[in-house]
Amino acid sequence: MGHLPFILAAVAIVARDGFERPIWSDNWSPLASALVLLGALAGIVLILAVRLWGLYRAMDRRGSVRAARRASGAIRHAQFALALAFVVGVIAFGWLDAVRTWIGDGVGYDELVAILPLLVASMCCAGLGFGLERRLREAALLRQIDEGATIYAVPTRWAHVWLFTRQQPLFVLLPVLTILSWSECVALIADGPLAFAMQVGGAIALLALAPLMVRFLWDTTPIRAGALGDRLRTMASSHGVGVRAFLVWHTGGAQVNAAVIGLLPWLRYVVITDALLESLPGPEVEAVAAHEIGHIRRRHMPWLIGAAMGPALVLGLAGERLALALGLVPTLPGLIAGGAGALIVFGMVSRRFERQADSFAAQHLSHGAPQVEEHAASVMVSALRRVAHLNGLPVDRPTWRHGSIGTRCRALGTTIGSRFGRTPPDHAAAWAKLMVLVLVLAGGFWATLDALSRS
């Protein structure tokens, strides 16, 4: 869920130009709007600092695991609180309008200045969270030495903050600000259908090129030819999946994770963190990589885009109609209804896709058998549990996009003996895709009728 706060902030920036003025703009001067937002952000950081001070003392004095978990939750909740304060500041109090009053409404720079306070506050929270990172790493040193594991140096506070900044806020905000700047440039030189076509085409092109930016933003290097690299490339080829490169994601041992970046085969990367490669045995590394290949093979990314757009259109328009019926200004209710629907449906579909990708990995590890074998499912279960343990994630704690590790392990148990492509997670993912298709078609049809009725 690390990217979600910054996605919400980006949506607020984009959505602000969709309605005439902020809700309470008549009652607030630009200076007052700025003071409200900056005060809220500073207050959240201060509250987190006080909270973490007490929890760190409990960790130092008693070695409290419960305090460590509460500290992790406090940092996570503070990031969400910052994003919500920013959304309210933009939509209700007119923070973006205040910035434009002072520096003008230019190409990209006004949005950049508006987002800077949130970025700085988020970095401050990450800096406060360094105390937890340092304590956890130091506590794990003896165990790592006993196990013969790779020992990574504890990063400095600044290195910890910079890693967070590259992986979370900049990962979301740089593409959004680039697309916004392109749209504003097009608006200066064209209008009508031509401008719309140029804006959409440019946005698609920039999103397609985004993996190149992320590759360098995340500090990655290719996995060269060798036993691991050859096995990974052979796996992708055997499943008919195009991947430009498999990359090592250098995090200084801070993350045990893997991800797919990119929609186009010639601009698509599979990234695997350094800690995952060092900590998992070969078969489990292959299982994790097969999970990521499964996302590509089952075409999850385009469906996830639909899972966000479909409910946003349907519920957004429904919210507007309800607001009009009640005599209210329709824009904000439509935005809230569409945004909430997109978050709920996207999370629900994503969790089913994660279980299908797990099932795909188990099918791959069955190595030619006509059905999922028990040992293959066991390898994937072991990989999931090991990743959860190394990340300090309780197996029964659910997350928005991935669900809980425990649920995913139980779903893998249901795949044993099932024919490839016909496991229970495959059936659940198929129903999820059908729901997304219905929502996208209904939303597109309704939006077209709405546009025709207004023209």
Side-chain angles (χ1 to χ4, degrees):
M1 299 177 68
H3 297 117
L4 182 56
F6 307 103
I7 293 173
L8 293 175
V11 169
I13 288 288
V14 173
R16 168 58 197 93
D17 292 327
F19 51 94
E20 184 178 354
R21 63 179 184 274
I23 300 171
W24 295 322
S25 60
D26 294 338
N27 302 322
W28 297 86
S29 67
L31 179 59
S33 298
L35 291 176
V36 168
L37 176 65
L38 298 178
L41 298 180
I44 292 168
V45 174
L46 180 60
I47 291 170
L48 177 65
V50 173
R51 176 64 172 155
L52 290 180
W53 177 77
L55 292 171
Y56 290 163
R57 288 189 66 188
M59 292 175 64
D60 294 338
R61 290 181 176 182
R62 305 191 301 273
S64 173
V65 175
R66 186 178 183 183
R69 290 177 178 172
R70 287 183 173 181
S72 177
I75 297 165
R76 189 168 60 251
H77 297 154
Q79 295 287 2
F80 271 99
L82 290 175
L84 291 176
F86 182 82
V87 170
V88 173
V90 170
I91 301 299
F93 292 98
W95 163 244
L96 179 58
D97 299 75
V99 170
R100 288 171 173 171
T101 298
W102 296 323
I103 66 173
D105 185 0
V107 176
Y109 64 80
D110 51 326
E111 290 88 359
L112 176 61
V113 171
I115 209 79
L116 281 177
L118 174 65
L119 180 60
V120 171
S122 298
M123 293 173 69
C124 289
C125 289
L128 293 170
F130 172 73
L132 175 63
E133 176 74 10
R134 178 176 60 80
R135 287 168 172 82
L136 291 178
R137 288 213 185 194
E138 290 173 350
L141 276 177
L142 287 178
R143 175 178 58 80
Q144 292 171 341
I145 293 172
D146 290 340
E147 295 175 353
T150 301
I151 306 298
Y152 294 93
V154 178
T156 63
R157 188 182 300 272
W158 169 245
H160 173 77
V161 172
W162 181 230
L163 179 66
F164 159 82
T165 305
R166 287 184 298 166
Q167 291 183 357
Q168 296 190 25
L170 293 184
F171 176 78
V172 174
L173 298 177
L174 280 180
V176 171
L177 292 176
T178 302
I179 291 172
L180 278 175
S181 298
W182 167 255
S183 297
E184 292 177 345
C185 286
V186 169
L188 294 175
I189 61 175
D191 56 13
L194 175 62
F196 178 76
M198 291 175 65
Q199 288 171 337
V200 172
I204 293 173
L206 289 169
L207 285 175
L209 293 172
L212 292 175
M213 177 188 67
V214 173
R215 174 180 174 179
F216 296 101
L217 183 66
W218 278 8
D219 186 16
T220 62
T221 54
I223 298 177
R224 302 295 183 185
L228 175 62
D230 292 344
R231 189 163 73 248
L232 294 178
R233 282 182 279 274
T234 298
M235 182 200 335
S237 177
S238 68
H239 292 294
V241 168
V243 176
R244 177 161 183 163
F246 288 86
L247 306 174
V248 181
W249 180 6
H250 299 284
T251 68
Q255 303 237 358
V256 183
N257 203 357
V260 176
I261 304 172
L263 290 171
L264 303 177
W266 52 91
L267 285 175
R268 180 189 289 141
Y269 301 94
V270 175
V271 295
I272 306 174
T273 64
D274 45 9
L276 189 147
L277 291 172
E278 292 286 351
S279 303
L280 271 63
E284 293 182 13
V285 172
E286 184 175 355
V288 172
H291 170 98
E292 301 304 330
I293 294 296
H295 282 307
I296 304 170
R297 188 68 181 86
R298 301 306 184 200
R299 297 178 176 83
H300 287 165
M301 283 176 277
W303 285 101
L304 285 172
I305 294 172
M309 294 178 58
L313 282 171
V314 171
L315 295 178
L317 290 169
E320 290 183 359
R321 291 293 179 273
L322 179 61
L324 288 171
L326 297 174
L328 303 174
V329 177
T331 306
L332 185 59
L335 178 64
I336 293 173
L343 289 176
I344 292 170
V345 174
F346 183 93
M348 181 178 65
V349 171
S350 177
R351 292 190 292 273
R352 282 154 179 78
F353 284 176
E354 288 300 319
R355 295 196 285 272
Q356 186 181 35
D358 291 339
S359 173
F360 181 92
Q363 294 170 42
H364 165 77
L365 294 171
S366 297
H367 297 303
Q371 67 278 325
V372 178
E373 296 189 339
E374 184 175 358
H375 83 274
S378 298
V379 171
M380 189 63 209
V381 167
S382 177
L384 289 173
R385 290 187 176 277
R386 197 185 304 271
V387 168
H389 171 71
L390 293 170
N391 283 316
L393 179 68
V395 294
D396 291 322
R397 190 179 81 187
T399 62
W400 171 56
R401 279 202 56 206
H402 296 84
S404 72
I405 296 296
T407 299
R408 291 170 64 180
C409 290
R410 289 188 289 273
L412 276 165
T414 68
T415 67
I416 298 172
S418 298
R419 293 180 61 83
F420 290 176
R422 298 181 181 180
T423 67
D426 288 318
H427 292 310
W431 281 107
K433 289 180 178 180
L434 178 60
M435 178 185 66
V436 170
L437 179 62
V438 170
L439 287 171
V440 168
L441 292 176
F445 181 71
W446 194 353
T448 300
L449 290 180
D450 186 69
L452 291 175
S453 65
R454 293 182 182 181
S455 61

